């Protein structure tokens, strides 16, 4: 359903608050989603938070749809993390808002392809993530 990833733009982010919170979100998503969520029977998304750093920065702002696997029914949604969030500002709010927008974008994409996607199950995962990040 939702399998979160992250891409850090530099080694300075290791151990930072944003690193810790994104890892918590990733772990909660893994614990809450169905074990068979990416076996190709149901549509799922892989939101990837891309953080700016000393080595690299996102080459876009906002959201960008990435690779879609028709066989596995998985869609990558890249999320550019603004510098203030990467610096620790309003991380929990940003994560929840971004995941909801990723779900909205993915649902529209899957609808165009005629593939069913459960926004209710996605919201359940997002609510669990928000509860842990508060």
């Amino acid at each position: 359903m939702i399998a979160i990833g992250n891409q850090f733009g530099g080694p300075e982010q290791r151990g930072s608050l944003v690193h810790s919170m994104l890892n918590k979100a990733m772990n909660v998503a893994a614990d809450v989603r169905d074990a068979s969520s990416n076996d190709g029977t149901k549509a799922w998304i892989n939101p990837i938070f891309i953080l700016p750093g000393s080595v690299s920065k996102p080459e876009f702002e906002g959201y960008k749809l990435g690779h879609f696997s028709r066989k596995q029914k998985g869609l990558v949604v890249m999320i550019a993390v603004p510098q203030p969030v990467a610096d620790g500002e309003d991380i929990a709010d940003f994560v929840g808002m971004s995941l909801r927008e990723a779900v909205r974008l993915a649902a529209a994409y899957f609808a165009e392809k005629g593939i069913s996607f459960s926004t209710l199950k996605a919201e359940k995962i997002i609510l669990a993530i928000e509860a842990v990040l508060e």
Side-chain angles (χ1 to χ4, degrees):
M1 173 52 42
I2 296 179
I4 297 173
N6 48 48
Q7 179 181 325
F8 296 100
E12 68 277 5
Q13 292 156 339
R14 183 160 300 283
S16 67
L17 181 59
V18 71
H19 181 260
S20 172
M21 291 188 80
L22 287 175
N23 280 341
K24 282 181 188 177
M26 191 174 3
N27 291 333
V28 170
D31 291 344
V32 175
R33 69 179 177 255
D34 296 338
S36 64
S37 64
N38 62 353
D39 66 2
T41 59
K42 300 174 202 153
W44 61 283
I45 64 171
N46 179 208
I48 300 175
F49 290 88
I50 303 174
L51 287 94
S54 59
V55 177
S56 67
K57 296 179 181 357
E59 297 177 359
F60 62 97
E61 291 183 10
Y63 306 85
K64 184 175 171 185
L65 295 181
H67 178 74
F68 169 65
S69 170
R70 182 169 291 285
K71 182 178 178 182
Q72 293 181 333
K73 294 185 184 169
L75 176 66
V76 170
V77 180
M78 295 174 277
I79 302 166
V81 177
Q83 189 65 53
V85 176
D87 292 339
E89 193 175 301
D90 297 324
I91 300 167
D93 290 339
F94 179 79
V95 169
M97 177 201 67
S98 295
L99 291 175
R100 283 190 178 86
E101 181 62 12
V103 166
R104 187 190 70 73
L105 292 168
Y109 182 88
F110 287 129
E112 285 178 13
K113 301 281 186 193
I115 298 171
S116 175
F117 176 70
S118 176
T119 56
L120 253 80
K121 287 184 180 181
E123 182 63 19
K124 178 183 170 190
I125 293 169
I126 295 168
L127 289 171
I129 290 168
E130 288 176 328
V132 169
L133 296 184
E134 287 181 351

